[in-house]
Amino acid sequence: MDEAIKRIKKDFNSQLEIASSSSEIDQIKVRFLGKKGPIQDLMRSLKDVSREERPKVGKMINDLKEELSHSCQHTFDALLHKEEKIKLESQKMDVTLPGRKRFLGRPHPITQIVTDILAIFKEMGFSIQYGPNIESDFYNFESLNFPEDHPARDMQDTFYFSKEMLLRTHTSNIQVRLMEKEDLPIRVACPGKAFRNENISARSHVFFHQIEGVYIDKGVSFGDLLATLKAFFSKIFKREIKMRFRASYFPFVEPGLEADIECLVCSAKGCKICKETGWLEVAGAGMIHPNVLKAGKIDPEEYSGFAWCFGIERLQMLLHNIKDIRLFTENDQRFLSQF
Ligand code: DAH
């Protein structure tokens, strides 16, 4: 019996040693401990053992059975542990690594500032309208008091499609369109693109954004214009802003002016940005010329109005100290994601 047990153990161990999966271990278990296995054979041979010897031999067989089954379990556990470890190792992660940043989309900086500007004008009682980019000579020039041979037409290099059609050179093209279709009084702000055939540089571009404002009613005065501009610039810069108004010429306004705000960079002391003047030009404006009111079928004896316009890129550049207008059109995420 001892011999038989030894042989079984030896066989069993040599097989278990090379088992490399849980199913192989199962097979070995069945092979040795199953009904057709050598242990059952031993059990069956018990009947041939003498009565006195039987309990002792029976115990030996039971011990063997237990030992083999325990070994199977042990090998199985070890294998599981190894497999688990390999799996875990492959899933290893470094919890100290910084998280991945998700890219968040947002409105373009021009859209952002237009939204802020429009909110201010809405609060002041203006409604919002949009004019066409492709425009006729009439609305862009002629109706705005630029006769065909007027030297002011040379001020703007224009992209013409034909003698009659062009890309608008300013948002002022909306003025007579508004007069034609709106009921009086008119109080409208119009954001949009303008196009000029200029060399692209840090300070100028072939297209840029403007916002035009038009206010027409009985008794609208020059003082109303100045107060409106001052109120607007103080609101957008979120503090009381000093302004200065200089006489200027635009054919569609009389008197015409250019508006400056105190230099935000040097608090009006004089710096590179304001070219040592302490002032930054921000808008063109004026009282709407009687000829323009007439072109819009409004009686200049009865009504008066003002119009103004400012460049949106320029304002955003002043607000954020941006030195190159080209950044707005280059789609560089490093720039855009700062807004
Ligand atoms: N349209 C002019 C330009 O783009 C700016 C301008 C000046 C608009 C005076 C106005 C105004 O409405 O009153 O250069």
Side-chain angles (χ1 to χ4, degrees):
M1 180 57 69
D2 280 350
E3 272 308 306
I5 289 177
K6 258 192 202 159
R7 209 181 50 245
I8 292 171
K9 268 197 198 175
K10 199 172 160 221
D11 266 7
F12 173 82
N13 283 332
S14 64
Q15 289 190 27
L16 197 61
E17 228 166 61
I18 52 167
S20 61
S21 71
S22 53
S23 69
E24 275 178 47
I25 296 170
D26 272 344
Q27 283 166 13
I28 294 169
K29 200 170 170 185
V30 171
R31 202 172 302 139
F32 283 85
L33 299 164
K35 274 186 193 145
K36 291 177 187 160
I39 299 211
Q40 278 305 317
D41 288 347
L42 289 181
M43 283 293 200
R44 275 190 286 273
S45 68
L46 255 187
K47 62 180 188 316
D48 304 328
V49 177
S50 69
R51 262 176 164 268
E52 306 82 66
E53 287 278 294
R54 211 175 282 163
K56 192 180 137 216
V57 175
K59 187 172 181 300
M60 279 165 70
I61 301 171
N62 267 334
D63 286 350
L64 173 67
K65 194 173 163 186
E66 213 155 280
E67 189 185 328
L68 299 198
S69 132
H70 186 262
S71 288
C72 281
Q73 189 60 45
H74 183 76
T75 313
F76 181 79
D77 287 349
L79 196 74
L80 203 69
H81 185 69
K82 203 169 132 197
E83 278 172 3
E84 197 77 348
K85 217 170 134 188
I86 291 170
K87 197 169 148 205
L88 282 177
E89 297 249 316
S90 74
Q91 293 173 345
K92 210 169 172 181
M93 61 177 175
D94 183 353
V95 290
T96 64
L97 281 175
R100 283 200 194 111
K101 260 199 187 162
R102 294 232 179 153
F103 172 72
L104 266 187
R106 69 199 81 197
H108 189 276
I110 293 299
T111 310
Q112 286 186 31
I113 192 171
V114 168
T115 309
D116 293 347
I117 293 170
L118 294 184
I120 294 172
F121 282 121
K122 273 188 211 163
E123 200 185 283
M124 290 164 89
F126 286 78
S127 67
I128 313 303
Q129 302 240 10
Y130 298 87
N133 288 332
I134 297 174
E135 187 53 290
S136 65
D137 181 272
F138 177 75
Y139 288 112
N140 195 81
F141 290 125
E142 178 121 26
S143 65
L144 294 176
N145 205 30
F146 294 80
E148 206 163 341
D149 53 354
H150 197 291
R153 280 196 178 182
D154 293 340
M155 274 159 43
Q156 295 160 343
D157 279 355
T158 307
F159 289 111
Y160 280 95
F161 293 106
S162 63
K163 202 168 171 289
E164 263 310 298
M165 296 305 286
L166 46 88
L167 281 174
R168 68 170 167 192
T169 57
H170 51 184
T171 46
S172 305
N173 69 325
I174 190 101
Q175 290 192 15
V176 172
R177 287 178 172 277
L178 287 175
M179 295 175 207
E180 283 174 348
K181 75 173 178 48
E182 293 287 303
D183 292 332
L184 288 159
I186 295 172
R187 212 183 291 131
V188 182
C190 320
K193 287 189 175 72
F195 306 83
R196 288 183 202 176
N197 194 2
E198 284 181 21
N199 289 334
I200 296 174
S201 70
R203 305 207 128 246
S204 65
H205 211 289
V206 285
F207 84 90
F208 49 92
H209 296 77
Q210 292 185 327
I211 183 158
E212 189 85 8
V214 178
Y215 181 23
I216 304 170
D217 200 353
K218 287 182 180 158
V220 174
S221 70
F222 194 63
D224 294 335
L225 165 60
L226 304 190
T228 305
L229 290 178
K230 193 158 170 12
F232 169 76
F233 283 103
S234 294
K235 282 198 177 177
I236 194 90
F237 288 108
K238 298 193 174 72
R239 68 179 169 88
E240 185 71 21
I241 289 281
K242 268 196 220 120
M243 291 193 79
R244 153 178 110 160
F245 302 101
R246 288 176 286 111
S248 186
Y249 173 72
F250 303 96
F252 40 93
V253 282
E254 181 57 39
L257 63 88
E258 277 173 300
D260 299 338
I261 56 167
E262 57 183 303
C263 180
L264 305 159
V265 181
C266 62
S267 305
K269 288 191 189 73
C271 70
K272 258 196 194 154
I273 305 286
C274 61
K275 299 191 189 100
E276 308 299 333
T277 62
W279 295 100
L280 298 166
E281 187 196 318
V282 285
M287 298 306 289
I288 299 175
H289 196 289
N291 287 351
V292 178
L293 289 172
K294 276 188 218 150
K297 310 265 176 330
I298 292 175
D299 181 358
E301 297 296 325
E302 205 181 340
Y303 286 93
S304 58
F306 62 74
W308 83 88
C309 171
F310 45 82
I312 293 179
E313 278 83 354
R314 176 155 172 82
L315 205 56
Q316 190 64 300
M317 287 166 86
L318 289 176
L319 276 165
H320 293 284
N321 201 6
I322 299 163
K323 303 227 161 54
D324 195 325
I325 195 172
R326 291 170 290 196
L327 285 166
F328 290 113
T329 47
E330 282 171 352
N331 280 341
D332 187 335
Q333 286 301 327
R334 290 167 302 179
F335 171 71
L336 296 176
S337 63
Q338 292 178 56
F339 291 83

